[in-house]
Amino acid sequence: MMFLGIEIVEWLGYAAMATVLVSFLMKSITKLRLVNAVGCLLFILYGFYLEPISKPIIITNAAILVINLYHALKK
């Protein structure tokens, strides 16, 4: 499926990338971790939708997601 000549899965990758980048603009470390966690979740979905699925993308971002959530909820 395509939108503006770009595959939807690629749009998902761009959304994940943009979310992670925006997270580093946050002044609050808690906000940074939460926005970054959303970006990681999007990257996990992106990894599953790639053909073939990308285990390195999924595993890395799942680990970062757990770390972000641990630190965000610890406070």
Side-chain angles (χ1 to χ4, degrees):
M1 183 177 220
M2 296 184 84
F3 178 70
L4 298 175
I6 300 173
E7 290 287 333
I8 295 296
V9 68
E10 199 170 342
W11 281 111
L12 182 58
Y14 288 132
M17 173 204 64
T19 305
V20 169
L21 286 174
V22 166
S23 75
F24 290 107
L25 298 174
M26 303 291 137
K27 292 184 180 186
S28 162
I29 192 71
T30 303
K31 285 182 185 177
L32 180 149
R33 289 194 181 279
L34 293 175
V35 173
N36 193 276
V38 171
C40 287
L41 184 59
L42 290 173
F43 265 123
I44 292 167
L45 293 172
Y46 175 69
F48 275 111
Y49 281 111
L50 289 175
E51 288 293 327
I53 69 168
S54 177
K55 290 178 186 175
I57 290 174
I58 295 166
I59 293 167
T60 302
N61 283 283
I64 296 169
L65 176 63
V66 169
I67 292 166
N68 277 326
L69 292 178
Y70 170 78
H71 286 292
L73 298 174
K74 181 174 82 168
K75 293 186 172 193

